[in-house]
Amino acid sequence: MAEEVILLDFWPSLFGMRARVALREKGVEFDMREEDLSNKSPLLLNMNPVHKKIPVLIHNGKPVCESLIMVQYIDETWGPESPLLPSDPHERARAKFWADYVDKKIYPALRTTVGEAEETAKKEYIECLKVLEGELGDKDYFGGERFGYVDVSLIPFYSWFYTLETLANFSIREECPKLVAWAKRCLQRESVAKSLPDQYKLNDFILSSRRSISLNK
Amino acid sequence: MAEEVILLDFWPSLFGMRARVALREKGVEFDMREEDLSNKSPLLLNMNPVHKKIPVLIHNGKPVCESLIMVQYIDETWGPESPLLPSDPHERARAKFWADYVDKKIYPALRTTVGEAEETAKKEYIECLKVLEGELGDKDYFGGERFGYVDVSLIPFYSWFYTLETLANFSIREECPKLVAWAKRCLQRESVAKSLPDQYKLNDFILSSRRSISLNK
């Protein structure tokens, strides 16, 4: 039986990007289906009845939800010759810790910064990025020489940097030069380049979403 | 070299309980060190410099932080003959999904319910528990016949049920009879019975913490 791999997604989604990058790293062919989030498809509601959110990976009819769990699933299911997570349990736990940090700290700080562009939110966001810059250090990737799990988890956020810098008036390159160099290194990979949207297109989308949110208030 | 396993913990911690249960399920001897959270030890600050939170598992000098990551680490490191996570990637992803649900939905709803005891918070908490009751269904444990990862993730919350019922004036047994039967089944395991605090002692602690919080306002 041929494998059927469907990704229910929405192009500006940071979490969708993670799944796209991981699938492409593993060379998995997939059918990306764009969801209309104001009118979710019966397939989405059926496959993720608990959260009703994208992305959802459907592999031979079975759903996998939550982007970090999805990246782990992809890593365990395809391409064992190019693992995303390290094999050593302690190194695995460490990679999971940093991906969790991205979800717990970087994502909420991003939302606050884009939503309010206040000085305190901006400072907090930069502090969180600097923690990651410290963890990266002089390594090529978070795991060392190979692109891996933490890179997949964080790289989607780079597509929002342009908007953040414009809205909040600061330079991520000046604050975190190593992190920006790392992002450019990641973007040389086809898996990443194909999965992240154009930053100007994304910027237009974010600005128009903010306008419609404030109009609806 | 003999293994050195230290758990930096605080007895009422739901997340600490997860680590205790998992270690005892695997038959790992460990040194549980009670932290004073108002005066954290240099060891805690050194081992978890990012979040500065308990629990922290220190295995032969190396730290593992974040309770669900810790349970996965414990599962990968000890006792492969009694795994907590299933071996099938899809089943693994499913178990991780439900443990993530506990963190994202049950924990925040618990905090709100204990903090406010408002009708909406109470309803939301019950709704979330009912989602879990539905997932459990007529199975002995969340993974089927064997005690596993989702059970470890959720069972600590049972120790707060008495306080919740008293504060918010509702009966979890009436709302979710299968979940309460499951919890009692789990408590027959030595690993769980030894790791969860007495519910009355915990209740006294929660009530006195609430009083000191409102006095400090």
Side-chain angles (χ1 to χ4, degrees), chain B residues 53-73:
Chain B
K53 285 182 181 166
I54 56 98
V56 178
L57 178 73
I58 311 174
H59 182 201
N60 293 336
K62 288 182 179 174
V64 180
C65 304
E66 297 299 310
S67 67
L68 290 181
I69 296 173
M70 210 174 284
V71 175
Q72 291 176 31
Y73 175 84

Side-chain angles (χ1 to χ4, degrees), chain A residues 48 50-51 59 62-66 69 72-73 76-77 87-94 96-98 100-101 103-105 131, chain B residues 48 50-51 59 62-66 69 72-73 76-77 87-94 96-98 100-101 103-105 131:
Chain A
N48 190 359
V50 175
H51 299 307
H59 182 202
K62 287 183 181 173
V64 180
C65 305
E66 298 298 310
I69 296 173
Q72 291 176 31
Y73 175 83
E76 289 168 6
T77 305
S87 57
D88 172 72
H90 190 264
E91 289 304 312
R92 288 168 72 82
R94 197 178 163 83
K96 289 173 187 168
F97 174 86
W98 286 109
D100 178 73
Y101 181 84
D103 273 10
K104 285 200 182 130
K105 294 286 185 177
V131 170
Chain B
N48 191 359
V50 174
H51 299 306
H59 182 201
K62 288 182 179 174
V64 180
C65 304
E66 297 299 310
I69 296 173
Q72 291 176 31
Y73 175 84
E76 290 168 6
T77 304
S87 58
D88 173 73
H90 189 264
E91 289 303 312
R92 288 166 72 81
R94 197 177 162 83
K96 288 174 188 168
F97 174 86
W98 286 110
D100 179 73
Y101 180 84
D103 273 10
K104 285 198 181 132
K105 295 285 186 180
V131 170

